[in-house]
Amino acid sequence: MDRTRRRRTGALTGALTALALTALFTGGGAANADTGTAGAGTRAVPKHAVTGYWQNFDNGAQVQKLGDVPDDYDIIAVSFADATGTPGQLAFNLDSAGLGGYTVDQFKADIKAKHAAGKSVILSVGGEKGAVAVNSAASATAFADSAYELMQEYGFDGVDIDLENGLNSTYMAQALKSLGGKAGSGFVLTMAPQTIDMQSPSTEYFKTALAVKDILTVVNMQYYNSGSMLGCDGKVYSQGTVDFLTGLACIQLENGLAPSQVGIGVPASARAAGGGYVAPDVVNNALECLAKGTGCGTFKPSKTYPDIRGAMTWSTNWDAAAGNSWSGSVGPHVHGLP
């Protein structure tokens, strides 16, 4: 996430990766039905949920207190955790000055109020400029220990993994399993990989998601700042279309993730990303296509996924700057899914 403006704007345009097309079609057996055993995190959020990133900085979007986030959001990802001098270790520093004097006590009180309203508040790790690295057993331990300490201190329900500069599946999975064990029931774990990170189950991000599937709440891939990518049918789809959303979601749905662990991540407005913005009704059509087989574009999945988790947006602040039009449209639609 570029804190001065938006999420990653790296050009993945026209990416037909060297990943073998056959890798797109491996697995799939476990993804065809959600057995309801995806882990403690899935029980802490609604069956169909909306995730929004809340900015702990002022980059020109609407500055918000956590309490200003609309009720349409079920999971609020606080952006972002900070790296320390110890590999893997996390810290969190509220930008009180940048947020108009918002105090730590007010922030903690707002988290409690969100809990009382049935919402989850998690700490996002990464972003475009995130420097957290988990690539050894020691850094995995430091990650889990420090994340748990922050959960206890602030009341976070879990973490979001938004590492856009590399990820080691072995040690990140180790860290997340350790953290999940410490947190216990109600742990919320989300991920926000870029499109290229989820083109095949052989990628490090995808391997991480599969390795922690028993505690994974949802993967909200970033369907933007991407260019063109392969869909699960081997065809190329361009960002900004319903086919891009459905065709790429299908890869995750047919390669090991349960439908309840798949969400659609999009910008809240055209100002929130460098490319790939779609109107809220396109998001709603994509969800209808995946859940019911209606509202599809040229790509229509061979089966429906009524347990599809929902949608995510960057960010609640950019949503507010646009009059909350994204959450006002997508929120009720997600919550109305079967």
Side-chain angles (χ1 to χ4, degrees):
M1 178 347 153
D2 181 351
R3 300 188 184 204
T4 62
R5 185 163 182 263
R6 59 178 75 93
R7 275 185 177 272
R8 185 177 177 87
T9 56
L12 301 176
T13 305
L16 284 172
T17 70
L19 298 169
L21 280 175
T22 53
L24 298 178
F25 309 103
T26 60
N32 293 336
D34 180 10
T35 62
T37 58
T42 59
R43 294 194 295 271
V45 296
K47 177 182 178 180
H48 299 297
V50 178
T51 302
Y53 285 80
W54 175 82
Q55 297 178 190
N56 180 39
F57 51 87
D58 179 4
N59 67 345
Q62 177 69 49
V63 172
Q64 291 181 318
K65 294 180 172 62
L66 200 67
D68 298 329
V69 176
D71 286 342
D72 287 309
Y73 291 99
D74 304 293
I75 304 173
I76 304 168
V78 173
S79 311
F80 290 101
D82 297 309
T84 72
T86 300
Q89 187 179 62
L90 305 179
F92 177 71
N93 300 287
L94 186 69
D95 184 14
S96 296
L99 302 180
Y102 193 28
T103 69
V104 171
D105 286 344
Q106 289 173 324
F107 177 69
K108 291 180 178 179
D110 281 346
I111 291 178
K112 289 182 179 179
K114 286 297 180 184
H115 287 163
K119 313 301 181 181
S120 298
V121 182
I122 61 178
L123 180 61
S124 183
V125 180
E128 183 185 7
K129 296 183 178 180
V132 176
V134 178
N135 49 25
S136 68
S139 60
T141 298
F143 181 99
D145 289 348
S146 59
Y148 185 59
E149 289 174 3
L150 292 171
M151 288 174 65
Q152 291 182 303
E153 179 180 357
Y154 289 93
F156 296 125
D157 298 288
V159 295
D160 167 70
I161 304 302
D162 181 19
L163 295 170
E164 301 181 11
N165 297 298
L167 182 151
N168 181 301
S169 61
T170 298
Y171 294 112
M172 179 52 73
Q174 178 181 319
L176 294 174
K177 288 178 180 179
S178 176
L179 177 58
K182 293 174 184 291
S185 178
F187 178 60
V188 178
L189 172 60
T190 70
M191 296 184 177
Q194 299 170 95
T195 53
I196 199 168
D197 293 322
M198 300 299 284
Q199 282 276 278
S200 161
S202 67
T203 63
E204 290 299 293
Y205 232 117
F206 212 137
K207 287 196 294 185
T208 301
L210 294 175
V212 298
K213 183 179 176 180
D214 59 329
I215 57 171
L216 176 64
T217 307
V218 62
V219 174
N220 291 304
M221 191 173 73
Q222 301 177 38
Y223 292 76
Y224 51 99
N225 294 334
S226 170
S228 299
M229 285 286 159
L230 292 168
C232 69
D233 57 357
K235 296 181 180 179
V236 180
Y237 294 104
S238 298
Q239 67 179 8
T241 64
V242 68
D243 287 332
F244 188 76
L245 304 181
T246 55
L248 270 67
C250 177
I251 297 174
Q252 298 170 56
L253 292 162
E254 290 298 316
N255 283 276
L257 293 182
S260 65
Q261 294 174 319
V262 178
I264 295 174
V266 295
S269 72
R271 297 178 61 198
Y277 170 74
V278 293
D281 64 334
V282 176
V283 180
N284 293 341
N285 285 341
L287 291 169
E288 287 289 304
C289 178
L290 294 168
K292 304 176 183 178
T294 60
C296 302
T298 59
F299 171 77
K300 185 172 183 177
S302 60
K303 62 176 69 71
T304 58
Y305 310 92
D307 292 328
I308 191 82
R309 177 65 78 176
M312 170 275 279
T313 198
W314 177 267
S315 63
T316 65
N317 305 74
W318 284 114
D319 187 24
N324 292 315
S325 59
W326 188 90
S327 58
S329 174
V330 176
H333 194 89
V334 167
H335 297 140
L337 288 172

